[in-house]
Amino acid sequence: MDRRRFLGTAGAFGVAAALPGCATTGRSGSEDQRLRAVLDRIFYQRLETSPETATSLGLDKGGRAHLRFLLNDESAASRTGEQARAQTELNQLRTINRTRLGDNAAIDYDVVEYGLSTVIRGARFPYGAGGDRYTPYVLSHLSGRYRTVPDFLDTQHPIETKTDVDAYLARLSAFARAIDANSELQRRDAERGVFAPDYLLDRTLEVMKGLRDQPAAGSQLVTSLARRAKAARIPGDHGATAEKIVATAVYPALDRQRALVTQLRGRAVHDAGVWRLPDGEAYYAGALEASTTTKLGAEEIHRLGLEQVAQLEAELDPILRAAGLTRGTAGERLAELNQRPDQVYPNTDAGKAALVAELDRQIAEMYARLPQAFATLPKARVEARRVPVSIQAGSPGAYYEIAPLDGSRPGQYFINLRDTFDRPKFGLRTLTHHEAVPGHHMQGTLALESPHIPLIRRHAYYSAYGEGWALYAEQLADELGMYEGRPFERAGMLQSFLFRATRLVVDTGIHAKRWSREQATDYFIRTTGIARGRSQNEIDRYTAWPGQATSYKVGHLTWVRLREQARTKLGDRFDLKQFHEILRLGTMPLAVLERVVAARAAAQVA
């Protein structure tokens, strides 16, 4: 679920092949090879410290089979070690003479250097997740091993052999230790006055309740293993073994952590923004830079958001009027559309199954049109799934999990169906284009499967690039005719853009202008027309994860601007399919993306 944790992924090394319009000059093949060797070494060292990444990518085999028995270490010692490791890796990288690198290798150098520098800059704040993530609270409804490990074990850890079962049970035992390590980190941060505001702790306790307050035999941690082991015909009463671990180790650790959160709730304040934390203004500035990969400040982003909101409201007006929605703001009229019975699936298991089936149909429809805009299509497929019920109370509205390199499962597009009213029909298609194709699945998988970039970069993630692309993908779907004859769904697309523009306003409002949770929520509902439950979830997400929500619209505007600049420069020679081939060079900071797009266009002109 967290696309930002690891610098890269793996496959077979090979010499970088040049993409059209982005040739490798090869000024020093030996220096390119030295860089690849450094990046290779960094990658495999990181893989050893990130066993969950190894599993999610299908790389916990052979000499790395031991990783399948381990969870990531997120203790205080590990956090300190990660920061020291990033500095060592940056020093290793800087032994390379960048001026002697070919064009593609220089991109690799710049991207990895930026990522490592961001981790080091983030280390100056001695609380929260650390590094490049800028999630200030160890425990919240969105952060903490208590909520990430169950989903990982259920959807990522394979159960095909007896060894897989043994590895699952080992990880289940390690889960209890991971919970306690998180609790210790949170205690340390609390001594500095760093823990989530009262309403986030209420939500955290709600998610913990869903995980803990059921018999161990009925826990997803137990039933997932028992169900899948039976399907794989692996003999043994593995559910009973898992039940004992959950009852005697996992649940006691959860009880200890819930007691800690309850204690913190008694001390918590209601202030939403990170301005209240130690060095909070600098923390938010760092979060904005890490998320947008730009130097845009809070005031500039806030102003951009207000401008975008006004522009999108004007664009929505004629569509809504044509539908007979003439009174109130654009947001109020979208809320009225959400109230129509024909726009909401029944909030039942059958209704939710029908909704997920519709998402799969939308994916298939988009796949049929992809060849119009892409020269290369991903080999891995993607399918829609519900967010597991056990974690839906604290999960985002939707997210994407990339497929592993070994092809053992497809990419997965998760949608939170806690209440189908929060996901009206007119907004589903644009969500599918964002999370699946031509959005995250297209962008992430083309990079993962690309022979043009080194391993460390194939699974790297920069939010402004990736989320900006996914929002651009919604626009591209419109340009490919996916909304023709579907005016309500086109309104849903514009609502999605309005939603991301509003994020610029409320994220900076909360963390820079000291807006309250209530002020931010009221503005969000009034502007977007999104149902209160989902709107409240959004505001709470921005509280727990400052800055990240600004990356979408900043990235989208950059993608659109760069495409139009290339079109203007190339004129009749502009080829949309070739423009999109840039995805095979992997995710990168926006400043690097600008240089690469300009260089590709210049090479085509020459």
Side-chain angles (χ1 to χ4, degrees), residues 249-260:
V250 174
Y251 275 3
L254 280 170
D255 289 340
R256 291 189 291 272
Q257 188 163 94
R258 188 154 63 167
L260 170 63

Side-chain angles (χ1 to χ4, degrees), residues 378-424:
K379 297 181 181 68
R381 304 295 290 183
V382 59
E383 62 182 25
R385 295 187 61 178
R386 282 183 63 180
V387 170
V389 173
S390 61
I391 63 169
Q392 66 184 9
S395 291
Y399 55 89
Y400 169 75
E401 292 283 5
I402 199 164
L405 278 168
D406 63 6
S408 57
R409 62 168 175 78
Q412 298 173 106
Y413 154 31
F414 286 91
I415 184 167
N416 193 329
L417 296 182
R418 189 180 186 187
D419 188 341
T420 56
F421 184 77
D422 292 340
R423 286 297 174 188

Side-chain angles (χ1 to χ4, degrees), residues 90-147:
L90 184 60
N91 293 341
Q92 293 172 352
L93 181 67
R94 286 176 174 168
T95 66
I96 301 298
N97 185 342
R98 187 193 178 284
T99 64
R100 297 182 61 198
L101 294 174
D103 293 342
N104 284 359
I107 295 171
D108 298 334
Y109 182 101
D110 291 345
V111 172
V112 175
E113 181 185 47
Y114 187 97
L116 292 172
S117 298
T118 300
V119 171
I120 293 166
R121 285 196 300 271
R124 72 185 188 273
F125 302 104
Y127 52 81
D132 60 344
R133 287 181 290 171
Y134 285 88
T135 46
Y137 310 119
V138 174
L139 295 176
S140 75
H141 68 301
L142 289 179
S143 56
R145 302 297 278 157
Y146 81 94
R147 67 172 309 283

Side-chain angles (χ1 to χ4, degrees), residues 520-584:
T521 303
D522 289 346
Y523 177 86
F524 196 92
I525 294 170
R526 183 172 66 252
T527 304
T528 67
I530 291 173
R532 177 167 289 276
R534 180 179 162 205
S535 292
Q536 191 67 80
N537 287 344
E538 288 293 325
I539 297 305
D540 292 352
R541 168 183 166 178
Y542 313 152
T543 304
W545 197 358
Q548 192 270 345
T550 67
S551 63
Y552 295 69
K553 201 71 175 105
V554 170
H556 169 234
L557 293 173
T558 300
W559 272 107
V560 173
R561 174 173 56 81
L562 294 179
R563 186 186 71 174
E564 296 315 303
Q565 286 177 353
R567 190 192 303 275
T568 299
K569 188 175 186 65
L570 294 171
D572 292 341
R573 284 177 288 181
F574 178 79
D575 185 330
L576 184 62
K577 294 181 181 181
Q578 290 304 313
F579 177 79
H580 291 156
E581 283 287 275
I582 200 170
L583 292 179
R584 300 174 72 196

